[in-house]
């Protein structure tokens, strides 16, 4: 058994890292092991129903703490560890993003750029006019501009009199970012860092080639849908839409005149993201469980309801891509992950809306237990572990992810 599972970033020993995804429908834990040569392997994981979260944010602390504890106990048994700290995902409609550029003027014309200069220009890039109640969650480095020459990934050692840096900033309302931290600490665990869940998911499912060519990652959860755009190997845009699988269920409940539990059952068993006219007239019988007459459900109507909500969700993302002028940069297509990735024909719907190749994403690019990696619902938790491993490698190169996240122990 491992005692007090806090990552030791400069230890020569094998390290254990835990990702905790506090979702609207379930709490997911992933446990990763980093060996001495830096290879990351997912060695275990667990899930528990989530009852105190709505639209990605805590509404009932007592239930959330119970659900986290249940998932943690199972994860400890599966991975044979004792968990003392986690990397924790956050989401919510309060999160905002923007791209910003920092500038550093250097008096000496023959000055060679140092790591301190990189930190200074990064600090300048993080200075922007944000609401007073907001905190920067991530300031993700994009590319440098050295004496007017753009597209420089690493400027250290170059002679320079003017250094600029583009960053992608994710920020949110401080108390709403702190709430999940408080819930975890009530269980006598530390939070190593907070990580935007969409960023974590993208790290789990994308290859370096996909990041370079340009890819849109959509993580479809129960209460929210997050998305991240990579191009040229860096994050270009992120976003959160406060719509998810629960909204599809609610639409079905209202449209089919059934309970939400029955609507969820119908969605899972008979659902589709496409409106298929070929099934016109087909029905399924639904026993109401009360000994009364069975209810007949029209499958075409069920599919039409799901299609309308899912298409609208994709259209909201597509609108943001248009506003940011990103369509031409997405050459590797769309990758869909999260629970919504399991909806039949979801990739086809994404293809129709974005006019791009689309597929469902799994964390199979990583090492570990196949059953855990293949399930798209685990992508965020696995991505948190991947994020931690990247941080481990970059601690010696300060500033890869920039801002010190809220809630760091």
């Amino acid at each position: 058994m491992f005692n007090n599972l806090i990552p030791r970033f400069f230890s020569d020993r094998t390290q254990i890292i835990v990702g905790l995804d506090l979702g609207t429908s379930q709490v997911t834990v992933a446990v990763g092991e980093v060996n001495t040569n830096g290879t990351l392997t997912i060695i275990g994981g667990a899930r528990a129903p989530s009852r105190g979260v709505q639209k990605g944010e805590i509404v009932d602390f007592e239930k959330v703490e119970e659900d986290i504890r249940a998932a943690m106990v199972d994860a400890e048994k599966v991975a044979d560890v004792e968990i003392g700290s986690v990397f924790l995902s956050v989401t919510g409609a309060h999160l905002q993003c923007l791209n910003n550029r920092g500038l550093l003027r250097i008096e000496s014309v023959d000055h060679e750029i140092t790591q301190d200069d990189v930190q200074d220009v990064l600090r300048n890039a993080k200075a922007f006019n944000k609401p007073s109640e907001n905190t920067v969650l991530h300031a993700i480095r994009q590319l440098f501009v050295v004496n007017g020459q753009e597209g420089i990934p690493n400027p250290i050692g170059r002679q320079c009199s003017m250094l600029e840096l583009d960053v992608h900033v994710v920020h949110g309302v401080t108390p709403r970012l702190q709430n999940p931290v408080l819930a975890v600490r009530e269980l006598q665990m530390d939070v190593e860092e907070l990580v935007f869940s969409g960023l974590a998911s993208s790290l789990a499912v994308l290859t370096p080639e996909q990041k370079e060519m340009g890819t849109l990652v959509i993580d479809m959860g129960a209460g929210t849908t997050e998305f991240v755009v990579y191009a040229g190997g860096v994050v270009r845009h992120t976003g959160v839409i406060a719509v998810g699988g629960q909204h599809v269920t609610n639409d079905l409940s209202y449209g089919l005149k059934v309970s939400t539990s029955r609507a969820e059952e119908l969605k899972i068993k008979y659902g589709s993201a496409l409106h298929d006219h070929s099934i016109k007239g087909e029905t399924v019988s639904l026993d109401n469980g009360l000994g009364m007459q069975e209810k007949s459900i029209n499958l075409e109507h069920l599919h039409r309801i799901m299609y309308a909500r899912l298409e609208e969700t994709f259209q909201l993302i597509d609108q943001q891509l248009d506003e940011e002028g990103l369509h031409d940069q997405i050459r590797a297509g769309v990758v869909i992950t999260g629970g919504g990735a399991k909806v039949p024909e979801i990739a086809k719907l994404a293809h129709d809306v974005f006019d791009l190749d689309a597929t469902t994403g799994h964390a199979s690019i990583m090492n570990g237990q196949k059953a855990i990696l293949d399930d798209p619902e685990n992508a965020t938790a696995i991505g948190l572990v991947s994020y931690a491993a990247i941080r481990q490698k970059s601690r010696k190169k300060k500033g890869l992810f920039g801002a010190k996240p809220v809630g760091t122990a």
Side-chain angles (χ1 to χ4, degrees):
M1 299 285 284
F2 290 87
N3 295 318
N4 193 20
L5 201 154
I6 299 176
R8 300 174 177 86
F9 286 100
F10 299 105
S11 171
D12 291 331
R13 300 189 304 174
T14 296
Q15 297 144 21
I16 302 295
I17 306 170
V18 178
L20 171 60
D21 176 25
L22 188 56
T24 299
S25 66
Q26 59 191 12
V27 177
T28 307
V29 180
V31 182
E33 180 182 50
V34 181
N35 65 21
T36 52
N37 65 10
T39 300
L40 171 64
T41 302
I42 302 300
I43 61 172
R47 288 206 293 249
S50 180
R51 301 166 298 159
V53 177
Q54 292 182 8
K55 296 184 178 180
E57 298 189 67
I58 295 176
V59 294
D60 188 324
F61 271 88
E62 185 175 347
K63 289 181 179 178
V64 165
E65 289 167 14
E66 291 175 359
D67 298 337
I68 294 174
R69 183 182 291 109
M72 286 295 176
V73 168
D74 286 347
E76 287 179 330
K77 291 178 181 178
V78 170
D80 193 25
V81 298
E82 292 180 2
I83 297 174
S85 70
V86 299
F87 283 75
L88 178 62
S89 69
V90 288
T91 187
H94 68 100
L95 292 180
Q96 302 177 53
C97 76
L98 75 153
N99 293 317
N100 198 39
R101 176 170 286 192
L103 171 65
L104 179 67
R105 296 187 183 277
I106 301 169
E107 294 184 3
S108 174
V109 294
D110 59 355
H111 175 78
E112 290 188 359
I113 301 171
T114 66
Q115 183 64 47
D116 287 341
D117 297 325
V118 169
Q119 289 301 303
D120 288 341
V121 75
L122 176 62
R123 191 176 302 110
N124 295 339
K126 291 189 292 184
F128 64 98
N129 187 21
K130 62 178 174 61
S132 59
E133 70 272 19
N134 278 27
T135 297
V136 172
L137 180 64
H138 298 294
I140 306 170
R141 263 175 31 178
Q142 294 177 325
L143 296 172
F144 291 87
V145 182
V146 179
N147 290 336
Q149 180 184 358
E150 300 204 12
I152 307 297
N154 183 5
I156 293 178
R158 287 173 173 259
Q159 288 192 345
C160 176
S161 59
M162 186 172 69
L163 179 65
E164 298 169 271
L165 171 62
D166 291 324
V167 297
H168 182 77
V169 180
V170 181
H171 61 103
V173 179
T174 304
R176 294 164 76 173
L177 289 173
Q178 285 285 2
N179 282 337
V181 177
L182 296 174
V184 171
R185 287 180 174 167
E186 279 296 312
L187 301 175
Q188 307 303 310
M189 290 187 296
D190 290 325
V191 174
E192 293 292 334
E193 291 190 19
L194 290 180
V195 184
F196 171 49
S197 59
L199 176 62
S201 297
S202 69
L203 293 175
V205 301
L206 290 188
T207 65
E209 182 180 14
Q210 287 173 309
K211 294 176 184 178
E212 185 66 35
M213 290 183 61
T215 303
L216 166 64
V217 179
I218 303 175
D219 185 344
M220 305 185 74
T224 58
T225 297
E226 295 83 29
F227 62 97
V228 176
V229 177
Y230 276 87
V234 298
V235 174
R236 298 292 184 181
H237 187 64
T238 61
V240 179
I241 297 174
V243 177
Q246 284 189 349
H247 297 82
V248 176
T249 300
N250 291 338
D251 290 349
L252 290 173
S253 176
Y254 179 83
L256 300 177
K257 296 180 174 58
V258 297
S259 67
T260 53
S261 61
R262 285 303 179 94
E264 180 70 14
E265 179 185 335
L266 288 167
K267 181 182 73 174
I268 293 171
K269 194 170 183 179
Y270 302 106
S272 174
L274 292 182
H275 180 200
D276 185 0
H277 296 281
S278 67
I279 62 172
K280 186 174 182 178
E282 290 188 25
T283 61
V284 294
S285 295
L286 184 65
D287 182 1
N288 63 16
L290 299 176
M292 299 174 62
Q293 185 176 0
E294 292 182 342
K295 183 179 179 65
S296 181
I297 301 297
N298 186 297
L299 283 181
E300 186 184 12
H301 189 198
L302 185 153
H303 291 177
R304 188 186 302 119
I305 293 170
M306 293 185 64
Y307 168 79
R309 174 65 78 172
L310 294 169
E311 181 190 44
E312 179 189 40
T313 303
F314 285 162
Q315 286 174 340
L316 290 171
I317 298 172
D318 193 53
Q319 181 180 345
Q320 288 200 35
L321 299 184
D322 284 338
E323 292 171 356
E324 298 294 327
L326 291 169
H327 267 291
D328 290 342
Q329 298 184 46
I330 302 173
R331 295 179 294 136
V334 182
V335 176
I336 306 166
T337 192
K342 295 181 176 181
V343 176
E345 305 292 351
I346 192 68
K348 179 65 168 61
L349 176 61
H351 174 272
D352 294 344
V353 172
F354 297 105
D355 194 25
L356 293 165
D357 291 339
T359 186
T360 56
H362 311 271
S364 53
I365 60 173
M366 302 175 66
N367 298 317
Q369 298 181 10
K370 181 175 174 57
I372 297 175
L373 299 175
D374 284 349
D375 191 337
E377 292 185 80
N378 295 333
T380 299
I382 293 171
L384 290 169
V385 176
S386 180
Y387 175 94
I390 293 171
R391 292 287 284 175
Q392 175 186 4
K393 293 178 182 178
S394 66
R395 285 291 172 99
K396 297 176 183 178
K397 303 175 184 177
K398 295 181 181 179
L400 177 62
F401 284 92
K404 182 180 180 180
V406 177
T408 300

